[in-house]
Amino acid sequence: MLGEHLNSEESRGLLLAIDKMREILHGEKITLPEIVVVGDQSVGKSSVLEAISGIQLPRAQNICTRCPLELRMKTAQDKEYATIRSGVSCTTDKRIDDLSKIADEVTRLTSEIAGEGANVSQNPIYLTVFKRDILYDLTLVDLPGITRNPLPGQAENIHEQILQLINKYIEPPTAIVLHVIPASIDFTTSESMKLAKSFDPSCQRQLIAASKIDKYDKGIAEKLQGRGLGSMELQLGCVAVLNRNQHEIDDNVSFDDMKQREKEFFSHHKDAFQHLPEEFKGSEQLVRRLATIQQERIRSTFPDIIKELRKQIAEKKAELKKIPLSMNTENECWTNFQSMINAYRESIHDKVKGEYDQVSSIEITSLPTTFTNLEDESNIDIDLDIATDELEEELEITGESKRDHIAYHIYQLQRTFQMECQNSFTNFFSRQYYKITLREIDQTAGVSLPNFPSYQIVVGLFRNELNKLPDCCG
């Protein structure tokens, strides 16, 4: 019943959708459900992945996985083949009909992405394998093994680079972390386990693949069930896997034969495993558990993922609307330029008129050019100051700053000029100017007829005042 559910068209369709979304949204702030495979260097991680997928992966004495490998396993209906693609620039998949060539292609793309040395890269490789003996569709993300000592030609901070890469994948709450840890060591000492616990303290989304089970210690059955010394109590549990040793790899032992040897191993060591439930033993049980976890994770997180995607799409569309339309012809450029000029002209026109968000205008009594006496002059200044204060108070109420008003600046300049002129010219109605006028009339006596002052008096007085104009205009 479980197998039919995991192999249903709906389950496969959901996994296919998540795989495509993960590829398209790589680098975006969208967390998708995925199973991440982590572990220290040389713990048998490649052997576990080979046992799960049934394909040969690259092997090396030191670090062999130098960039994320997204391994997608699909059930083939007829012919078996694989497709591979780099996540850097390549947009087309390369088909591999001979599955024994997969390791070579992975090595080649790794060199293209991360270089010929031993450095690592965050750019992924997408490998899809179609095989008839695959039990359930499954997607795993294999990450570089944790290494502490840099190799010759390798970056000195290689350890920090790998930890940063692993943290990027295991931090999202949608990620499931599969730790590959040798059965003979303390599970709690694994560095990958320490990293994952910083993001998942209660160990709700972690499980262990206990590799190299043939080198088990006493009490292994209790340890696999999360009890006893060196164990980890994980909600998703632990599964023991028998790795191919170097002798079996050199003899090219098939994966089908290896699965049979694995079953025989558990049956021949009844003293250690006879009381251990079947769900804790073998690569087939590990695949079944991973497929079940994967489907549950996808179904529980998919609605929130769609909601988040729609939200981000709406935000991107709103940003796109703010981008001006492209201009491809000279006529379009000229039309857009004219509209900008018209908008600028209207803005200047409104500011000159003093139209600032419908600020009410206040009429200011115009100042007379002459004053009858000093008392009238002071009264007018007081009225002007009151009117100005009222204007400034009105501008403050409406939230407008007088510094932003062109009309206000023009008015202030006009007022300053008026005051300069007033202070520069003589007060024609004062007692002093009356004496000056009498003196000019007296000096021209005899030049003209009595009671008919000469026009030279007016010209002289005017020239005296005209000479003061450049000072106040300057």
Side-chain angles (χ1 to χ4, degrees):
M1 189 66 180
L2 177 61
E4 294 179 0
H5 174 69
L6 295 177
N7 281 323
S8 65
E9 290 296 330
E10 180 187 6
S11 297
R12 292 179 179 178
L14 285 174
L15 179 58
L16 181 61
I18 290 295
D19 289 341
K20 289 183 178 180
M21 291 168 63
R22 187 184 299 110
E23 188 172 344
I24 294 173
L25 299 174
H26 178 70
E28 298 291 336
K29 295 181 179 179
I30 294 290
T31 57
L32 299 174
E34 57 189 0
I35 301 177
V36 184
V37 185
V38 296
D40 292 357
Q41 185 179 333
S42 303
V43 295
K45 190 156 56 72
S46 296
S47 297
V48 171
L49 290 174
E50 288 177 348
I52 294 174
S53 62
I55 60 172
Q56 179 78 41
L57 293 174
R59 289 178 176 271
Q61 183 66 28
N62 296 301
I63 181 172
C64 57
T65 303
R66 299 192 288 121
C67 57
L69 173 64
E70 185 167 313
L71 177 58
R72 305 169 181 174
M73 291 160 278
K74 309 291 183 182
T75 304
Q77 302 299 326
D78 45 19
K79 189 175 181 180
E80 296 184 340
Y81 67 97
T83 60
I84 192 169
R85 181 169 63 84
S86 167
V88 179
S89 58
C90 183
T91 57
T92 57
D93 294 329
K94 180 179 180 180
R95 178 166 174 146
I96 306 173
D97 293 312
D98 185 359
L99 299 185
S100 63
K101 302 295 184 182
I102 290 179
D104 296 335
E105 288 297 327
V106 173
T107 302
R108 181 184 63 82
L109 285 182
T110 300
S111 298
E112 289 184 3
I113 296 174
E116 295 292 342
N119 289 321
V120 298
S121 172
Q122 295 191 5
N123 297 311
I125 295 175
Y126 301 103
L127 174 62
T128 307
V129 180
F130 297 86
K131 290 191 67 182
R132 287 186 292 271
D133 59 351
I134 289 178
L135 299 176
Y136 315 104
D137 287 7
L138 184 64
T139 299
L140 303 176
V141 181
D142 182 27
L143 298 180
I146 301 174
T147 181
R148 295 167 181 79
N149 299 318
L151 300 173
Q154 199 173 47
E156 291 295 329
N157 64 337
I158 187 64
H159 180 66
E160 289 75 15
Q161 289 184 24
I162 294 176
L163 295 186
Q164 183 180 6
L165 176 60
I166 293 176
N167 287 337
K168 173 186 174 183
Y169 277 87
I170 68 177
E171 179 180 2
T174 55
I176 298 296
V177 183
L178 173 60
H179 302 273
V180 179
I181 307 175
S184 59
I185 71 171
D186 189 340
F187 291 163
T188 59
T189 62
S190 170
E191 187 166 2
S192 65
M193 183 65 69
K194 295 177 182 178
L195 291 176
K197 287 194 68 175
S198 63
F199 302 112
D200 179 30
S202 58
C203 300
Q204 299 292 312
R205 51 186 181 90
Q206 303 176 57
L207 71 158
I208 295 176
S211 61
K212 303 179 182 181
I213 193 61
D214 53 328
K215 299 179 181 180
Y216 67 90
D217 293 330
K218 185 179 179 180
I220 184 62
E222 295 293 318
K223 184 178 179 181
L224 293 173
Q225 297 178 74
R227 300 191 297 266
L229 186 64
S231 65
M232 286 290 297
E233 187 176 353
L234 306 176
Q235 180 175 331
L236 301 180
C238 179
V239 181
V241 180
L242 181 65
N243 299 68
R244 288 196 304 172
N245 56 40
Q246 190 60 46
H247 178 70
E248 291 169 333
I249 295 174
D250 295 338
D251 291 344
N252 199 22
V253 176
S254 67
F255 294 106
D256 292 335
D257 293 341
M258 197 61 208
K259 289 180 181 179
Q260 186 61 35
R261 293 188 183 189
E262 186 180 53
K263 293 178 181 179
E264 294 175 354
F265 171 82
F266 288 113
S267 62
H268 291 165
H269 296 80
K270 292 183 179 181
D271 56 335
F273 300 102
Q274 63 178 344
H275 300 298
L276 182 66
E278 291 297 322
E279 63 186 32
F280 293 90
K281 297 182 292 187
S283 57
E284 290 186 359
Q285 293 296 330
L286 178 59
V287 172
R288 179 185 292 267
R289 185 173 300 190
L290 291 174
T292 304
I293 293 171
Q294 177 181 256
Q295 280 298 318
E296 292 177 350
R297 204 69 175 177
I298 290 176
R299 293 178 185 275
S300 63
T301 59
F302 202 74
D304 291 336
I305 293 173
I306 297 301
K307 182 179 179 180
E308 180 64 23
L309 282 174
R310 288 174 176 171
K311 177 183 176 182
Q312 293 202 17
I313 289 173
E315 292 176 354
K316 298 299 182 183
K317 287 183 177 180
E319 293 179 3
L320 287 174
K321 288 182 180 179
K322 297 179 181 179
I323 300 177
L325 297 176
S326 61
M327 294 175 287
N328 302 318
T329 64
E330 182 179 352
N331 186 40
E332 291 178 351
C333 294
W334 179 253
T335 302
N336 189 62
F337 177 73
Q338 287 293 333
S339 64
M340 292 171 62
I341 293 298
N342 292 336
Y344 181 74
R345 182 186 296 112
E346 292 177 1
S347 175
I348 294 300
H349 180 70
D350 292 341
K351 285 181 170 54
V352 170
K353 292 171 60 179
E355 297 178 358
Y356 307 97
D357 296 332
Q358 299 181 351
V359 177
S360 58
S361 60
I362 300 178
E363 293 183 0
I364 306 298
T365 305
S366 58
L367 297 177
T369 55
T370 58
F371 300 95
T372 55
N373 52 52
L374 294 178
E375 182 178 0
D376 293 338
E377 179 181 352
S378 61
N379 291 336
I380 293 176
D381 285 342
I382 294 174
D383 294 339
L384 179 62
D385 292 337
I386 294 175
T388 303
D389 293 339
E390 290 178 354
L391 175 60
E392 292 178 354
E393 182 179 356
E394 178 68 19
L395 292 175
E396 291 178 358
I397 294 175
T398 57
E400 296 290 341
S401 173
K402 63 184 180 182
R403 292 187 179 90
D404 296 332
H405 289 202
I406 295 178
Y408 182 83
H409 282 289
I410 294 176
Y411 165 73
Q412 286 292 89
L413 291 174
Q414 181 184 12
R415 180 188 177 192
T416 302
F417 177 72
Q418 185 174 355
M419 296 300 296
E420 290 290 336
C421 290
Q422 174 185 332
N423 295 332
S424 298
F425 296 126
T426 304
N427 185 356
F428 303 125
F429 298 95
S430 64
R431 176 66 61 180
Q432 181 180 3
Y433 195 75
Y434 175 74
K435 294 180 179 179
I436 294 175
T437 305
L438 291 179
R439 186 185 59 203
E440 291 293 329
I441 295 174
D442 184 65
Q443 289 180 355
T444 58
V447 177
S448 59
L449 296 175
N451 298 325
F452 289 93
S454 173
Y455 75 94
Q456 295 293 339
I457 299 174
V458 178
V459 172
L461 294 173
F462 174 76
R463 286 178 177 175
N464 291 335
E465 301 298 326
L466 185 62
N467 292 332
K468 301 176 182 179
L469 189 60
D471 296 334
C472 65
C473 291

